[in-house]
Structures are given as structure tokens and as C-alpha cells.
Amino acid sequence: MSLFPLPLRPEDQRLVDRLLAQMTLQEKIGQMTQPEKNSVRPGDVARLGLGSVLSGGGGNPDPNTPQSWREMVSALCEEAQGSRLGIPLIYGVDAVHGHNNVVGATIFPHNIGLGATRNPDLVRRIGRATALEVAATGVRWTFAPAVSLPQDIRWGRSYEGYGQDPEVVSPLAVALIEGLRGEAWNDPTSVLPSVKHFVADGGTAYGTSQRVDHATLEVDRTLAIAQMGESLVELVDQGAWQIDQGDSLIDEATLRAVHLPPYQAAIEAGALNVMVSYSAWHGIKLHGHRFLITDVLKGELGFEGFVVSDWAGVDQIHPDDYGRSVIDSINAGVDMVMVPFDAERFIAALRDGVERGEVSVQRIDDAVRRILTAKAALGLFEQPQTDPALLNTVGSEAHRDLAREAVRESLVLLKNGNGTLPLSRTGELLVVGEAADDIGAQCGGWTITWMGGHGATTPGTSILGGLQAELGQDRVHYSADASGEGVFPVAVAVVAEEPYAEGMGDRAELCLSPKQLQMLERARKRCDHLVVVLLSGRPLIVTEPLVGWDAFVAAWLPGTEGRGVAEVLCGRHPFKGRLSFDWPRSQGDLARTPNAQHLWTVGEGLNTGVSGAVSV
Ligand code: GLC
């Protein structure tokens, strides 16, 4: 039973009942419609009675500041208040590691790093901090946590998973939900979590994705808007869009044992929204899967909240028949559709389906009741706008300190030969690697833009900056490509995966590039002890080059607070992180199969003590 059980307070229940009785079919279908913000013209919210609007990855206002975000969202919320029944609008974003679309917001480690902390209290505090920064911009819904359990790390969304085992994922997902909720769902700073992507999104088989036609490389509207065309040509040969949104060919016992438990835990913690996966299960798209959405999620697990589709996920059910796709998704149990481009096309398709008797009024009423119940639970009818004073929390020192704490606890020390770490606080240090001074590389995908980027994409501290702060500028020598003269007692080399998101990050092979390996070779010749720090969204195959490294740290995608890495390298804090993913030995071991060989397995990670007194 949910810890925050529905039904609602009596007055809220009466409100929902009254509204349902007053609403026209058009208004009911409007509540089930979620376009993206660039597809909404002034007046559409009131005219169509839209229930929600979203920003997709990188769906930012210009300028991209917390204030302009708040202005954009508040204007849409005010329009909704002016509609016939004044049903409040709820705005949704992907705040998956902080309010990550917003320049200046605190960016926390991606979930793969939080999984290494095994610390629900820390994740709960991250949820609370994220909720404050999200609510500051008028937003009350985030499409997080992903409770994906990536079983094949060739998947470009591996880093969105806390880990590969439900016993690691469930407590952290519940903690994030509790942090986003705060004291109660109707707390004006609570933010609605979206537990995603239902179900077994991390269980798909490599080579089964149909999102992109690898022959024609035609890009759909989403990829065209995101200007993925050129990079697609370059990356498809490396495996882009081979596994994301593919087919989970697992049996029901595995689906129930591995992929379902985090949803049960989330529902018991009071989750009010679930997002459906693009993937299929034995060839049937989840967006049209009545058994899993209605019979299992809503029936067996007792989910009383509402189910939202993924971005144009409905369209994929029958690619050549949008009307049939809409009808099948709603009848399967989808309650709100992330359209995202053409709200009126969706509204007309569903209205036609109802008028033809292919979608029952009872199904529509059930969907709208679930949506209104969640809005009432959040207190949106009483407080449709958030407190602007919250803007002071965005990127605050307290939140950045929390992010640094998370970075420290997320680091996993996998090799430490000759007592290389922690670094001595005296003597000279060489730092090498472009990624040592690259906030974008630290943050990865879903940061400011959908795919993420390089350089100072948002305020933060690089690992190099952190080391200079810890050891003093004059003792830290930097060479991005490790060129230069002189041999140092220790060199810290930082290498990173190129930022990516979703299927753009699918890869056939996971390894360091020749350019990175050559840089590491140069670094090896310029130091007595070589420390390699890897910034990545998943384990990479390092078996061979590892031999030449004295120490090796998995830092995952730590976010804006790179000083957290420096504090642990320099012994101000100990290494505590534990792997939440198996670490494959070779390219043949990337999928988690019984005969896969691993360098390290879930739970492994070395400790170091604190290296004595440290200067402030
Ligand atoms: C994306 C993702 C989903 C995200 C949604 C809105 O395609 O699959 O995780 O929440 O669209 O950006």
C-alpha cells in the first residue's frame, strides 16, 4: 500500500468529481494532451484546455536563465488559469541530474554514479535540492527517476540507470521520489516524479532497435530538430540506434524479477506518474501493451496515478496509422500523451476514436480522473504558481556542496598500485587530458542540450580547477595532450567518453580512442606514477592499457562539481564508491550474460584512508 495513499482529501475528491462532471469531451482530451513548448502558440493552452506542456532535452527559453525559464512557464500556467474551468497546467522537464536544462543550475552526478554511492539519504537530499531548483522555475514535474536496469552497456542510456540489479536501484529510486516530494505531495515545492521507462527499457537486445533506418539514415522530426543528421551518419557505423528502443526478448519471469521491482517500490512510496518505454516486449510495443500497463501496472501493482507516453512514443505503435496508434495506446492504459509536436492532430484522432466508439468514455474519464487526482494531490488547484523566492536556490552554494559530496561518494577506486593514491600534498603534479578541464565532459548528456557538449557549458569546477584549489596553482602543471618536457612524481590523466544521450550513445564497442591511448602513453613517460580518471556513462574496456596505469578511478559523469574528484584524489576524503555495474573484461562481455567475463563485478571498489591533516 502506498505510504502516501490516495484517494485524496475529501475536498480534493469532490473537486475532481465536480470537474469531471462539468468537462466537455474536448476539455477531457485536452487534459490528456502534452505538446512540447515550441509547438504551443499563445492562447493554445486555454483554447485547447491543454493539461501539460513540456521542454524536451534542450527545450530552453532564450536567454537560458532561471528567470526566463520561470517567465516562460508562468505565462503558460496563467493561461490555463484563464481557461473555462481554470484547471491548472503542469509543466514537465527532464531534471534527471539536477535541473540540467538550465544554465546555472546545480548538476549532480548521473544515476550510474549515484548507484556507486549506495546512499539513499544522499539521493533523497539530491531529490529535495533538485525539487527546489525545478520549482523555482515554475515547473512541478520531472521525468525522473529512470529505474532502468541496463543489462547491455552498449545502450546509450546506461548512465541513466542506478545499477544493474533491482536491489540497488529500488531504494535509490524511492529516495529520489521522497526527496522530490518533500514533506507531502501538496508541499508547494514538491515536484511530481515520473518513474521511467515502463518496463524493461534496459533489457532490449542489441540490433533490435527500429528507431532509425540504418540503410536510409532518414531522420525523423525529433532528430532533425536536434540536428542529429550529420552525427548520425558518423555514429551509425559505431552502433548508434542499435539497442535503444529495441525489443526485450526476455521471459516474463525475468521481466518480473529484474525490471518490475523498482516500479512496485515506487508505487508503494506514493509515485503518481509512470512513463512508458519506447521499447517492445517480444515484438509488442510497450506503448500499446494493455497487459503490462493496465493489467500489471494498474491492476496487479495497484498504480493509482497516471501513465504518460514517451516523446512521440505513441506514433511508433503503427508508424503508418497514427489514428490507430492513438486508439491502441489509450486503450492499453496510457492516460496522457507526450505528443509532442501537433496537439490538435492528437486531439482530433482521439476524439474521432471516441465518437466511433473505439475508445470508451469510461476510459477517457479514468485517464482524466487520474490526471486531475495527481494535480490535486500536488496542490496545484490551490497554488498553481510557485514562490519566485526559490530562484535563490538555483545553483546555490549549499546545493553545490551537496553535489560535491555526491561526487566524492560516487568515485570508485579500481586499482591503486604502489600506494599511488591519495596524492601527496607536497611536490609537483602533472595533470593531462582535455577532459581534465571540461565541464561538459564531466556532465555528459542531458545537460543544457539533449546530447550535452564540451567546455564551459554551465558554471562549475573542472577536475583541473579542483586540483589547483586543493594543491595550489603553482604546484599543478597542465598539458591537455600530455606533451612537454619534464618528468613528475605523479601524473593525473583524465579521459572521457564523448557526451551522448539515448540511442545516439549506443555503441558496438566500448573502448578508449587511439588519440586517448596515445595521450596516456605520453603521460606514462612523463611520470613515476600514473593515475587515470575515467569520465564515462558506463564501464569501458580497459583491460590492456590498465597494466601501465598505477591507479585507476571510475568517476562516471560527476556533473558541475569536479572539485569533489580532486578532494578524494588528494586524500581530503576517502574513496567509498562501489560498482553498481559489472565491468566487462572484453568487447564480447558487454551484455550481462551468464558466461560474460568481468574485470570487476558489482560491489567492488577499493578504500583509501584520509591522508593525514590537510590544509584548508
Ligand atoms: C525522451 C526520453 C525520455 C524523456 C522524454 C522527454 O525521448 O526517452 O526519457 O523524458 O523524451 O524529453
Side-chain angles (χ1 to χ4, degrees):
M1 189 57 192
S2 162
L3 301 180
F4 283 76
L6 295 172
L8 298 168
R9 300 177 306 178
E11 58 272 34
D12 288 329
Q13 193 58 62
R14 286 194 297 272
L15 171 65
V16 169
D17 293 341
R18 188 177 77 247
L19 284 170
L20 259 179
Q22 293 172 317
M23 291 169 83
T24 64
L25 175 62
Q26 174 79 15
E27 287 167 329
K28 290 175 181 176
I29 295 176
Q31 280 300 307
M32 299 168 67
T33 308
Q34 183 189 52
E36 58 98 21
K37 64 112 180 166
N38 292 320
S39 301
V40 174
R41 294 155 305 192
D44 279 356
V45 168
R47 180 171 63 88
L48 301 171
L50 296 175
S52 176
V53 174
L54 87 142
S55 281
N60 307 328
D62 183 14
N64 183 351
T65 64
Q67 292 76 3
S68 57
W69 267 90
R70 183 176 178 87
E71 285 157 17
M72 171 182 77
V73 175
S74 299
L76 293 166
C77 291
E78 280 158 20
E79 262 199 53
Q81 285 170 260
S83 63
R84 183 175 82 90
L85 294 170
I87 298 172
L89 175 126
I90 186 167
Y91 199 95
V93 297
D94 292 280
V96 296
H97 62 141
H99 198 357
N100 41 254
N101 282 323
V102 180
V103 171
T106 310
I107 306 297
F108 294 92
H110 267 297
N111 286 353
I112 191 168
L114 298 183
T117 72
R118 301 293 200 286
N119 186 341
D121 173 65
L122 173 70
V123 173
R124 189 175 298 106
R125 287 184 284 131
I126 289 172
R128 189 78 304 258
T130 301
L132 292 176
E133 297 198 22
V134 168
T137 60
V139 176
R140 295 289 303 278
W141 183 8
T142 175
F143 307 124
V147 294
S148 317
L149 291 114
Q151 301 301 300
D152 184 331
I153 58 172
R154 288 174 288 188
W155 189 33
R157 306 197 74 164
S158 295
Y159 64 80
E160 296 185 61
Y162 291 106
Q164 294 184 301
D165 297 308
E167 54 269 24
V168 170
V169 171
S170 295
L172 297 177
V174 166
L176 188 84
I177 290 165
E178 292 171 343
L180 289 169
R181 181 198 65 221
E183 288 307 309
W185 285 123
N186 63 1
D187 174 319
T189 67
S190 78
V191 170
L192 176 71
S194 189
V195 190
K196 70 185 188 180
H197 309 80
F198 186 82
V199 64
D201 56 339
T204 55
Y206 189 85
T208 61
S209 176
Q210 296 174 350
R211 171 68 190 274
V212 169
D213 180 330
H214 292 82
T216 65
L217 291 188
E218 279 174 17
V219 291
D220 57 32
R221 187 170 173 182
T222 299
L223 295 178
I225 290 169
Q227 297 172 345
M228 292 290 106
E230 267 185 46
S231 46
L232 199 58
V233 171
E234 178 199 339
L235 294 177
V236 157
D237 290 344
Q238 297 177 38
W241 298 106
Q242 281 286 0
I243 183 170
D244 187 33
Q245 307 186 11
D247 198 356
S248 301
L249 301 172
I250 54 179
D251 60 24
E252 184 168 343
T254 303
L255 184 142
R256 287 179 175 276
V258 175
H259 301 278
L260 206 54
Y263 290 92
Q264 182 145 10
I267 291 167
E268 287 166 3
L272 293 170
N273 179 253
V274 165
M275 183 186 293
V276 180
S277 176
Y278 283 118
S279 55
W281 185 42
H282 290 286
I284 299 178
K285 279 283 187 182
L286 261 296
H287 274 78
H289 214 294
R290 183 186 169 84
F291 168 67
L292 289 174
I293 298 174
T294 296
D295 299 346
V296 174
L297 178 67
K298 294 181 174 181
E300 206 179 300
L301 300 189
F303 180 58
E304 296 171 312
F306 72 98
V307 173
V308 67
S309 81
D310 202 336
W311 178 285
V314 163
D315 309 34
Q316 294 182 6
I317 301 174
H318 309 294
D320 302 329
D321 186 344
Y322 182 69
R324 173 62 40 205
S325 293
V326 167
I327 289 162
D328 287 357
S329 66
I330 302 301
N331 285 335
V334 171
D335 301 307
M336 181 183 283
V337 172
M338 189 184 290
V339 183
F341 298 121
D342 188 341
E344 294 184 83
R345 178 178 177 232
F346 166 70
I347 291 168
L350 183 49
R351 188 192 56 240
D352 293 352
V354 174
E355 287 168 354
R356 288 197 302 268
E358 295 177 345
V359 178
S360 70
V361 173
Q362 289 70 20
R363 176 72 270 273
I364 298 294
D365 285 353
D366 171 55
V368 176
R369 175 179 295 282
R370 289 170 178 269
I371 294 166
L372 296 182
T373 296
K375 290 183 173 181
L378 284 168
L380 288 181
F381 288 93
E382 285 95 0
Q383 288 197 293
Q385 301 269 13
T386 63
D387 180 355
L390 290 170
L391 284 167
N392 294 325
T393 70
V394 180
S396 66
E397 187 178 349
H399 289 179
R400 290 183 188 274
D401 288 348
L402 173 61
R404 244 163 74 191
E405 177 186 350
V407 172
R408 292 195 298 261
E409 293 199 21
S410 68
L411 304 177
V412 183
L413 179 60
L414 293 167
K415 181 178 180 181
N416 191 23
N418 311 316
T420 301
L421 290 175
L423 298 173
S424 156
R425 302 188 75 85
T426 59
E428 307 286 296
L429 176 71
L430 175 64
V431 178
V432 300
E434 295 164 347
D437 194 22
D438 185 339
I439 300 286
Q442 282 170 210
C443 292
W446 295 105
T447 310
I448 312 305
T449 63
W450 184 28
M451 293 292 139
H454 280 291
T457 54
T458 190
T461 306
S462 68
I463 295 171
L464 173 66
L467 287 167
Q468 290 167 334
E470 283 293 312
L471 301 174
Q473 296 256 8
D474 55 340
R475 290 192 36 242
V476 176
H477 304 267
Y478 178 54
S479 167
D481 63 0
S483 63
E485 300 304 319
V487 177
F488 290 79
V490 183
V492 171
V494 184
V495 287
E497 268 197 301
E498 281 299 303
Y500 53 79
E502 303 194 41
M504 291 302 285
D506 291 355
R507 291 289 182 276
E509 296 192 347
L510 299 176
C511 51
L512 295 175
S513 68
K515 179 183 174 187
Q516 290 171 324
L517 292 169
Q518 289 154 16
M519 185 279 290
L520 291 171
E521 277 303 311
R522 287 193 293 274
R524 177 70 273 179
K525 296 183 178 104
R526 294 197 59 199
C527 64
D528 300 331
H529 298 283
L530 176 61
V531 178
V532 175
V533 177
L534 175 63
L535 297 174
S536 67
R538 53 201 157 186
L540 301 185
I541 303 306
V542 296
T543 309
E544 287 179 19
L546 179 70
V547 173
W549 306 342
D550 294 295
F552 176 48
V553 177
W556 315 113
L557 296 170
T560 49
E561 306 312 308
R563 179 154 185 185
V565 178
E567 289 174 321
V568 176
L569 289 175
C570 296
R572 185 186 291 272
H573 295 271
F575 280 95
K576 298 172 70 174
R578 296 283 176 275
L579 288 179
S580 61
F581 283 67
D582 290 330
W583 199 290
R585 181 174 290 278
S586 72
Q587 298 300 347
D589 303 315
L590 298 176
R592 211 187 194 199
T593 59
N595 52 10
Q597 301 294 309
H598 300 112
L599 267 187
W600 303 287
T601 55
V602 169
E604 289 198 65
L606 301 175
N607 284 40
T608 53
V610 174
S611 61
V614 290
S615 59
V616 174

